[in-house]
Structure formats: structure tokens, C-alpha cells
Amino acid sequence: KAGVTQTPRYLIKTRGQQVTLSCSPISGHRSVSWYQQTPGQGLQFLFEYFSETQRNKGNFPGRFSGRQFSNSRSEMNVSTLELGDSALYLCATSIDIGNTIYFGEGSWLTVV
Amino acid sequence: AQSVTQLDSQVPVFEEAPVELRCNYSSSVSVYLFWYVQYPNQGLQLLLKYLSGSTLVKGINGFEAEFNKSQTSFHLRKPSVHISDTAEYFCAVSDRGNFNKFYFGSGTKLNVKP
């Protein structure tokens, strides 16, 4: 059974640019959450999508956005990149509430 | 809102010795508790979870944890560690209204020495 797939795995962007990260969940999983992991702030919840609707969100500025498609694949977008956005972005998926959550290997974003 | 404290940022231990990784949480509502492990350059893997019922939870790779409501703790234990257990361990909490929204601790790096 295929796991959670995140693309791209590594990318380098320049300040002011925007970036889009993709997450393909395990087949049958309809909930997709995103987390940012940095050495200073640790793991922080960005948002969760379920059936194409944002069901929950964390405390991040509006530059961080996401969406979910009808096939449950999700994308997150960060606009006007700042140096502090350099992080590992993790996607986590599950069937629904109460089910085990599986994490992808993440997308490493470096902003220069 | 919930918060999680992992007091030990690093725990060195010799192979075959027992280990305990500490986790304390703060919440005004009933919580669900989780331990995840992260190997270098990888995502997080679920070790075990407490949703309800027995306070002693057994997970994969010989790990177990005990939920203590009065002390608001969920410490992770293993009676005998292996070199392959070297990784970073994260404690996380969520609640009934926001099950898929995890609050993570800052992590504990377990370094198993031969």
C-alpha cells in the first residue's frame, strides 16, 4: 500500500517568491493536514482539509494557504517567501477523525 | 488550547538499558495523546496512542506509555533499547473537537550508544 507522497522533496526559493507543495494521501484517506517543522519553533499545525473544505487552521499568516481537490490530493502555497519560512513541511493524512494519522517524508524548503 | 512539554531535549543511553522519555501536557478538556518517532530525513511514524480505556498503552518496537491524568503525563518507556532506536521522539496531544490538530512537544533526541 503506497504511503503519503509529498513533492517536491527539496527545493530552494528566493525571498519574495511563492512556492506550491503537493501531498498525495494514502488511498481512501480524505483528511489532509499540513505541519511546519523548524529547529526553533518545532512542529506547528498549519491547516487541515477534509472533503475539499478547510476544517481547521493554525496560527499562521495569510501568506500560507492550502486547498484540497476532489481526489483528496492537497496543495499548500506560501506567497512572498521570507527567510523564516525555511522549514520541513509535513503532510499528514487519515481516513477521518479518530483514525490513525500517517505522515509523509516532507518537503524541505530553503529560502535564500 | 493545549500544550506539551518534553523536558529532556536529549537522552543518552547505552544499548540494552531501559529508557524513559518524559511528556507532560496541559489542557482544559479531555485529550488524546500520541508518541511519534522521526528518523533522520524522514517523516513521523506513530509509535502508540491513547484515546481511552486502559491507561497503559503498548506500541510498536517494544515501546509502551502510561497515561496519568492526575499528573497530566504520558511518559514513554522501553525496557531495553537498541542502536536502531536512535531517533527523535515527539509527544503530541489533540482533543475531541480537533482530533486531527496536533500540538507537539519540542522533541527528545534519543542517542543509544553501543
Side-chain angles (χ1 to χ4, degrees):
Chain A
K1 164 170 155 175
V4 180
T5 303
Q6 292 189 244
T7 57
R9 289 296 316 280
Y10 305 92
L11 68 166
I12 301 174
K13 290 286 187 179
T14 304
R15 273 182 302 173
Q17 287 187 315
Q18 73 163 8
V19 66
T20 299
L21 308 178
S22 177
C23 173
S24 293
I26 295 171
S27 177
H29 286 201
R30 296 164 64 193
S31 167
V32 177
S33 299
W34 290 89
Y35 290 83
Q36 181 196 64
Q37 185 176 22
T38 61
Q41 299 299 318
L43 281 152
Q44 294 184 285
F45 175 82
L46 282 156
F47 28 65
E48 181 205 4
Y49 286 86
F50 182 83
S51 293
E52 303 179 65
T53 301
Q54 188 179 85
R55 186 158 68 177
N56 223 325
K57 70 188 299 287
N59 297 321
F60 278 81
R63 299 186 297 109
F64 292 81
S65 62
R67 60 178 176 170
Q68 186 179 32
F69 302 94
S70 58
N71 62 357
S72 293
R73 188 177 70 86
S74 176
E75 290 181 347
M76 67 162 284
N77 183 276
V78 188
S79 63
T80 319
L81 284 166
E82 301 176 359
L83 295 178
D85 297 332
S86 295
L88 175 65
Y89 290 89
L90 291 165
C91 170
T93 78
S94 68
I95 295 173
D96 196 355
I97 291 173
N99 303 106
T100 297
I101 295 173
Y102 296 86
F103 282 79
E105 294 191 331
S107 292
W108 286 96
L109 171 64
T110 301
V111 182
V112 298
Chain B
Q2 286 83 318
S3 67
V4 178
T5 302
Q6 291 182 247
L7 290 171
D8 306 305
S9 60
Q10 296 193 51
V11 172
V13 63
F14 287 105
E15 194 174 19
E16 298 184 6
V19 71
E20 179 180 83
L21 306 184
R22 297 180 293 170
C23 172
N24 287 88
Y25 69 92
S26 173
S27 176
S28 58
V29 298
S30 295
V31 297
Y32 304 117
L33 294 155
F34 307 81
W35 275 99
Y36 278 85
V37 60
Q38 186 176 36
Y39 298 100
N41 299 318
Q42 294 189 26
L44 280 72
Q45 179 183 6
L46 179 67
L47 281 176
L48 48 80
K49 60 184 176 183
Y50 171 79
L51 303 183
S52 65
S54 173
T55 57
L56 182 63
V57 180
K58 294 190 182 298
I60 63 170
N61 300 340
F63 285 94
E64 65 179 33
E66 186 155 19
F67 170 58
N68 189 318
K69 188 174 182 179
S70 63
Q71 297 187 6
T72 59
S73 68
F74 191 55
H75 300 332
L76 181 70
R77 303 185 185 100
K78 186 169 183 177
S80 176
V81 296
H82 303 289
I83 296 289
S84 59
D85 292 325
T86 295
E88 190 160 18
Y89 293 78
F90 292 92
C91 181
V93 64
S94 70
D95 65 61
R96 187 184 304 274
N98 301 283
F99 185 89
N100 287 358
K101 181 178 182 179
F102 285 178
Y103 293 86
F104 281 93
S106 54
T108 297
K109 291 184 178 177
L110 177 64
N111 183 15
V112 181
K113 304 176 182 179

